[in-house]
């Protein structure tokens, strides 16, 4: 299958989700011609604000393949992913994103992502949420325990820079 076929399949997932009373978003995670997982927006079903199509595809892929990193993979999304979904794809090592409907389409229906991208560009602590840090010595002990149990360098799944 080609990019166009996978993208059309993600749109079909979105259409099916709408026909079941859901929201108009579908996504597929693909690597080397294999569909690793699919997802649809299920925020209304799961009562979970993070259950967007792309994140659901990542969750399903992680469970099915028992891993959390997907370098070399492509996410196909029926609509432009929000900043949360983009961050999740970055965290999971997704290499490519192909999406269909952009903000110029989504905005007409109340689905623009631009406000969230703009908000996330603000410095940490200035994004509209009151933020306080209370550093406790006990927290260091948790990091020390993790390093003792898992060894140095095993946190590569978190930071890829």
């Amino acid at each position: 299958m080609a990019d166009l076929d996978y993208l059309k399949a993600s749109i079909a997932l979105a259409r099916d989700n709408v026909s079941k009373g859901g929201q108009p978003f579908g996504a597929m995670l693909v690597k080397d011609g294999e569909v690793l997982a699919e997802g649809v927006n299920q925020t209304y079903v799961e009562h979970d604000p993070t259950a967007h199509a792309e994140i659901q595809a990542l969750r399903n892929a992680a469970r099915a393949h028992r891993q959390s990193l997907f370098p070399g993979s492509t996410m196909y999304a029926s609509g432009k992913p929000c900043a949360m979904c983009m961050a999740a794809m970055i965290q999971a090592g997704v290499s490519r994103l192909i999406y269909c409907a952009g903000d110029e389409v989504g905005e007409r229906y109340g689905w623009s992502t631009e406000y969230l991208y703009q908000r996330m560009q603000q410095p940490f602590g200035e994004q509209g949420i009151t933020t306080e840090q209370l550093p406790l010595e006990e927290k260091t002990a948790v990091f020390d325990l993790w390093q003792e149990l898992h060894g140095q360098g095993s946190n590569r799944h978190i930071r890829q820079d």
Side-chain angles (χ1 to χ4, degrees):
M1 285 177 62
D3 287 341
L4 184 60
D5 297 316
Y6 291 120
L7 190 58
K8 286 182 177 182
S10 74
I11 295 167
L13 289 170
R15 185 173 29 282
D16 186 51
N17 199 40
V18 169
S19 71
K20 294 176 181 176
Q23 296 167 331
F25 301 101
M28 298 179 73
L29 186 63
V30 177
K31 183 174 181 182
D32 299 328
E34 176 189 358
V35 176
L36 301 178
E38 300 173 344
V40 295
N41 187 305
Q42 294 182 302
T43 58
Y44 63 98
V45 172
E46 302 290 330
H47 306 289
D48 177 353
T50 69
H52 291 194
E54 299 85 353
I55 290 178
Q56 293 297 78
L58 289 170
R59 286 175 178 156
N60 293 336
R63 288 182 192 117
H65 299 277
R66 302 182 55 81
Q67 64 187 62
S68 59
L69 291 176
F70 299 97
S73 66
T74 300
M75 182 70 75
Y76 295 89
S78 62
K80 179 182 173 186
C82 72
M84 174 185 67
C85 292
M86 184 60 81
M89 287 185 278
I90 291 168
Q91 188 78 0
V94 173
S95 300
R96 288 176 71 217
L97 165 67
I98 309 282
Y99 71 95
C100 186
D103 283 337
E104 70 283 353
V105 172
E107 187 171 18
R108 286 184 265 161
Y109 303 94
W111 297 103
S112 177
T113 65
E114 194 56 36
Y115 78 97
L116 191 52
Y117 279 104
Q118 289 175 358
R119 197 166 165 184
M120 293 306 294
Q121 289 179 15
Q122 300 303 312
F124 182 78
E126 297 178 24
Q127 297 164 329
I129 297 174
T130 302
T131 305
E132 299 177 37
Q133 182 182 14
L134 298 174
L136 302 173
E137 289 185 28
E138 295 92 304
K139 184 58 182 170
T140 302
V142 176
F143 282 101
D144 290 341
L145 177 61
W146 185 86
Q147 188 169 353
E148 178 184 319
L149 295 174
H150 301 283
Q152 181 123 0
S154 59
N155 65 345
R156 299 183 94 179
H157 70 283
I158 295 173
R159 298 200 57 149
Q160 298 179 18
D161 51 317

